[in-house]
Amino acid sequence: MSIARIATFAFSGVDPVPVEVQVQIAPGLPAFLLVGLPDKAVAESRERVRAALTGLGLSLPPKRVLVNLAPADILKEGSHFDLPIALALLAAMEIVPKEEAAGYAALGELALDGSINPVAGVLPAALGASERDLGLICPAAQGGEAAWAGRIEVLAAPDIHALLNHFRGTQLLSPPAPPAAEPAPRALPCLSEVKGQESAKRALEIAAAGGHNLLMIGPPGAGKSMLAARLPGLLPDLSPAEALEVSLVHSVAGMLEGGRLVMRPPFRDPHHSASMPALIGGGHRARPGEISLAHRGVLFLDEWPEFPRPALEALRQPMETGRTVISRANTHVTYPARFQCIAAMNPCRCGYLGEAGRECGRAPRCGEDYQGRLSGPLLDRMDLTIEVMPIPASELTRAPAGETSAAVAARVQAARDAQRARWGEAGPRNNAEAEIGHLQPLLDADAEALLETAATRLRLSSRAHVRMMRVGRSIADLAGSPTIRRAHVAEALAFRHRMPGRAAA
């Protein structure tokens, strides 16, 4: 009887969960058994492993082969278990040295000819292997991704045959290096192309400076989507810690292109027909949703009221906590979801509420019904609300070009630098994450008095009260002020006006 072991990982969100692949070859009727709570993709690995070994000119021994994925009470999902099962089987057959194989973790999907195909989760697996002082065996296409883990031995093999030659000493697999740099970024739309809309552009700048949520309301063609498309050009690059956070999510989702870390804030714009699992996360394998793919970036929701009501209401908790928890009967999967929500909507279904001669015959009732699709608690989480009105044709053709995205981005960068210096590495990443304890000492007396008066008269909730302080702090940062002054609070309150045809939040 022969037993061999090799390490691999399952994934709970972006966290790697250690799994030991144990293979026993014992006397008995020929069989190839796989136990340890595998899903369908893992169970089918028996046939892929059998075909890959056949491609090497090997066959399974005419004995009882038992593969156990320990611990047995954790569901094993995904095709990345193919490679560790094959290596453990080769070690049990004494083709690969057992002691040497036990020093690695492995993941990869096997093709029928023995080549190793890319899989999701290589970056978190590499970090997990590094924590356990193990090397990592992965597909050749993802060697650069694994190399980001630092001081870890990575064997990035194109196929099983190359791995066997490496263990035999007849071929040496060169250690991969992290990708040198990101490819040249595509040109982002420039803010100077937006004619007029000075209030909306000011709201966009404030939102970019502090990471605040923004709601734009206006008739069709007023420029809401055009403004949202220019927000990525105003945002600074991610810090190294943020880049790693975002890249882990994209790696688990199988979206880390070329093994390069994500250095720019992601911008996600799902269609309004997206389901709740697509938006929040979930599905058969509890994959990250759009809010997690937008972590440390922007989630743009166009035609906001047209999204399914359950999906919209499911946004409320992640917008507060910065994470989403996918609950199942036997497990809870958590993904990070600290995103900046930018939403756009028409004031009513026809889109022309309040425009004489263009609004429908049901006005103003159509506006009340349409806006009623958005709950008060959801609207209460939007820091800035701006009406985007159509620009006359004469202004579109004659108005001079406004500020470029580069000029506004420089002010946003200075504001973000001030926040980083003020809060420190252990504090909030931006003003949108600051709590009342961080903000209260920065209010001067006049600003505090105005905020208290406005909170009473406008009946602001405690959440809205704190959010106004956050927006005021971002306006102060753009102005280079160390304290939040009355003018900063007044401007923040001006952007929290009521929706057309609806009472104040």
Side-chain angles (χ1 to χ4, degrees), residues 36-368:
L37 208 58
D39 74 343
K40 182 68 172 176
V42 181
E44 291 174 347
S45 67
R46 292 178 298 182
E47 303 307 320
R48 292 191 291 272
V49 169
R50 193 192 304 269
L53 294 184
T54 301
L56 293 173
L58 301 173
S59 61
L60 292 177
K63 296 182 180 180
R64 187 174 183 272
V65 177
L66 176 62
V67 178
N68 178 42
L69 307 177
D73 60 342
I74 297 176
L75 179 63
K76 317 303 186 305
E77 299 175 308
S79 60
H80 66 275
F81 288 94
D82 290 3
L83 184 57
I85 289 174
L87 289 175
L89 181 56
L90 290 171
M93 294 167 62
E94 298 184 352
I95 297 175
V96 170
K98 294 181 182 180
E99 297 78 9
E100 194 167 352
Y104 292 91
L107 73 168
E109 177 185 325
L110 291 179
L112 299 185
D113 61 355
S115 58
I116 305 173
N117 295 331
V119 291
V122 169
L123 179 57
L127 295 174
S130 178
E131 291 177 358
R132 291 162 181 82
D133 295 324
L134 296 173
L136 184 74
I137 303 173
C138 68
Q142 295 175 297
E145 179 179 341
W148 286 111
R151 296 182 178 178
I152 175 177
E153 183 183 0
V154 178
L155 299 181
D159 50 45
I160 284 284
H161 188 260
L163 270 179
L164 288 180
N165 288 340
H166 178 85
F167 284 121
R168 289 172 178 168
T170 60
Q171 176 184 352
L172 183 63
L173 291 173
S174 301
E182 283 191 303
R186 60 182 179 84
L188 296 174
C190 186
L191 198 62
S192 63
E193 299 168 355
V194 181
K195 301 296 181 66
Q197 305 291 8
E198 298 305 322
S199 294
K201 288 192 280 189
R202 173 62 174 171
L204 200 68
E205 180 179 347
I206 295 170
H212 304 292
N213 300 328
L214 170 65
L215 171 60
M216 295 181 285
I217 309 168
K224 304 182 295 294
S225 300
M226 186 178 186
L227 284 162
R230 280 143 183 82
L231 179 59
L234 308 183
L235 299 175
D237 290 342
L238 298 173
S239 68
E242 291 170 338
L244 182 59
E245 290 178 18
V246 175
S247 299
L248 285 172
V249 177
H250 284 240
S251 177
V252 169
M255 299 172 59
L256 202 59
E257 297 181 3
R260 298 179 178 88
L261 295 187
V262 180
M263 302 305 297
R264 291 288 302 161
F267 182 85
R268 306 291 301 182
D269 54 346
H271 191 262
H272 60 255
S273 62
S275 64
M276 184 165 68
L279 196 62
I280 306 301
H284 174 62
R285 293 184 57 189
R287 292 175 58 85
E290 291 292 336
I291 64 173
S292 295
L293 296 174
H295 179 60
R296 298 296 174 191
V298 177
L299 178 70
F300 176 46
L301 303 177
D302 201 4
E303 307 297 344
W304 205 25
E306 299 294 342
F307 281 81
R309 180 68 178 267
L312 288 180
E313 296 304 313
L315 288 173
R316 287 157 52 178
Q317 184 178 3
M319 288 172 75
E320 288 292 321
T321 63
R323 60 189 178 90
T324 179
V325 181
I326 304 167
S327 299
R328 292 180 168 180
N330 59 347
T331 186
H332 297 273
V333 178
T334 301
Y335 285 107
R338 183 68 69 181
F339 60 94
Q340 182 179 0
C341 181
I342 307 297
M345 60 177 287
N346 298 326
C348 62
R349 177 171 286 277
C350 71
Y352 300 104
L353 180 67
E355 294 189 38
R358 302 190 72 181
E359 63 183 9
C360 66
R362 294 187 64 247
R365 182 62 182 272
C366 69
E368 296 174 359

Side-chain angles (χ1 to χ4, degrees), residues 57 126 431:
N431 288 333

Side-chain angles (χ1 to χ4, degrees), residues 207 209-213 238 242 245 295-297 318-323 337-340 383 416 419 422-439 466-467 469-471 473-474:
H212 304 292
N213 300 328
L238 298 173
E242 291 170 338
E245 290 178 18
H295 179 60
R296 298 296 174 191
M319 288 172 75
E320 288 292 321
T321 63
R323 60 189 178 90
R338 183 68 69 181
F339 60 94
Q340 182 179 0
D383 304 305
R416 290 289 184 103
Q419 294 165 44
R422 179 171 55 248
W423 308 128
E425 292 298 327
R429 300 289 179 89
N430 52 43
N431 288 333
E433 298 180 27
E435 300 296 338
I436 189 170
H438 298 111
L439 300 167
V466 175
R467 286 180 178 270
M469 294 172 65
R470 293 170 177 168
V471 175
R473 181 62 264 177
S474 294

Side-chain angles (χ1 to χ4, degrees), residues 401-461:
E403 281 190 298
T404 64
S405 291
V408 179
R411 294 198 296 268
V412 170
Q413 181 67 64
R416 290 289 184 103
D417 291 341
Q419 294 165 44
R420 189 174 295 110
R422 179 171 55 248
W423 308 128
E425 292 298 327
R429 300 289 179 89
N430 52 43
N431 288 333
E433 298 180 27
E435 300 296 338
I436 189 170
H438 298 111
L439 300 167
Q440 192 76 41
L442 303 175
L443 276 171
D444 70 15
D446 290 342
E448 189 170 8
L450 175 60
L451 190 57
E452 290 177 0
T453 302
T456 302
R457 291 184 179 179
L458 299 178
R459 293 181 293 176
L460 297 180
S461 66

